[in-house]
Amino acid sequence: MEEGPGHPLGGIKNAKPITCTFTLDDEDLKAVTDELGPGVIKGRSYSRSMPYEGNNTVTLQVDEAVALENLYAEEEVPPALRSVLGTRSLAAALEQAGGLAPAEDSDYTAADVDLFTRAARQRLGDSASAWQRAVRILRGREPKFFYFSNYQNLPGRIALTDLNGQEEPGASEIQTARALLELASTTAGAMSAEDFEERKAELEAVSNDLTQQVFEYWKQNPDLSVEIDLDKTTVQHPNGQQAVASHLDIRVKDRRHGFTNNFSARSTGFQWFFSFLAAFSQFETYPHGVVVLLDEPGLSLHGRAQADFLRFINERLAPNAQVIYTTHSPFMVETARLDRVRIVEDRGPDTGAVVTQEVLSVTDDSLFPLQAALGYDIAQNLFVGPDNLLVEGTSDYTYLTLISDFLKEAGRTHIDERWRILPAGGATNIPAFVALIGTNLQATVLIDSTPAGVAKLKNLTNKGLLSPKRLLLTDAFSDGVKDSDIEDLFSPGDYLKLYNAAFGTKLKVGDLNGTDRIIARLTRATGAPFTEHGRPADALLRKRDTLLPGLSETTLSRFEQLFTAINDTLT
């Protein structure tokens, strides 16, 4: 059932660029049950679309007959009256009850009709149906959306009289200042007390509190601290009267160089970060159900400062609000949480913009920020310590990290935490990686057992750049599958679960002929070369909570043997 006028298909009024689909939780269902009784909502899906013009479109499955039956049972409506009013819906029964006059020999009375009418009107309220009533209840429980493309930086000097009032977070520089005081658990009045000692104590307490909170996340210069001061100036009015105006001055002290300057004189990046922390800390006090939408945040920040910004989002905002942001910066991509990434691609005028979860199968231009993020992560890891595990690609990285974490939680053999797993982007790149690392930073290499890749790496062992014991081939862990790939560590049934989840197919083990590589068997079964290795790995990443617990003991034991062999190469 939908709300809103119908429009001709293909018209701009009929276009719905945004649809939000929510899963109703137990509290949502209870809110409807409290008003309309149990069993009225069918399923847990609720969605609302925003068209360019016209009314919103809401999709919700409501059983109108159940809502009516609940009222019948609760008000103990006589069966004879129920028969007259029908069982279709509350609205239909209420309309039928209008002007209904029972005959003298009826098994119900006018009082029964009046009681039902009043109860039905009370239950529906201003709504025309149980569906509309349920929608209005759920609309009131939707999360609140806050969209920010830009907001005002915190001013370095603030008139106390300007701090009265309230706006949405980030709406203005004065609201950011109000948020700053709230962050420090103080008020303008407390900091402008007449008594010197009281005023000074409050200003110092606020300065210390802000310094602690801001520099918990700003790690670029630990020698900075925040100082809040009060400046009183005499103002001459046109009528000749004088008044005292008070201003808060926000200053930043640089202990390294022994001076302070006004907050507005600091770098653009520091001003942005400080203002963001102040403005958006207000979401910590919002009730459950806030979605913060940020458009290209942190553009003025150093790469490392962007990492600090992400940490603030994860640790301070995310527990109380869902945060969605757009970015082109590789420093704003968390390589350890690629499951959170969605890529937006412009696929031309016929298709338009497409949002996809398939991060491993998009065009090079769309993938570039992810590639840059992974490249930066690899570059950082290469020189952190000696324990580097080189694998061919991102699918190998995904399988190893996810299954290792799963086995670790189960108290079983997993990859030692000293390892840094580095995808090289293909077997042909691994020799260059090993040469780059050199002999001072030893690496262990895990590679598929195809002859071409093995031959190149054995040349490295002959040159002394790679110890033979540090070259691990998947054949040793795939139970006799010759020239195996990492996919052959999965039992055929387990890998087909990943394959089917990735491609929407329904292949069974019986559809595969032979005992050679699973990739070769899939090629024969489908009649097309299998090249998209990343798709099943991406499916495991996306659906880890359901696919990982379903892995067989055969698969888990093979990976345990591999992890044992990897760990045995540690020096």
Side-chain angles (χ1 to χ4, degrees), residues 276 283 290-294 309 313-314 317-318 321-325:
F276 180 93
F283 289 113
V290 177
V291 181
V292 181
L293 307 173
L294 303 175
F309 160 71
I313 287 181
N314 286 327
L317 284 189
Q322 183 174 353
V323 182
I324 302 174
Y325 63 89

Side-chain angles (χ1 to χ4, degrees), residues 4 79 81 126 142 163 202 219 230 255 278 321 335 351 360 393 410 457:
L81 179 57
D126 296 331
E142 286 182 12
L163 292 174
E202 182 69 16
K219 300 298 185 183
L230 186 70
R255 295 186 297 273
T335 55
T351 303
L360 302 178
L457 285 166

Side-chain angles (χ1 to χ4, degrees), residues 336-349:
R337 295 307 307 263
L338 291 181
D339 56 310
R340 295 178 175 177
V341 173
R342 302 293 185 272
I343 294 179
V344 182
E345 285 189 294
D346 183 356
R347 296 185 179 175

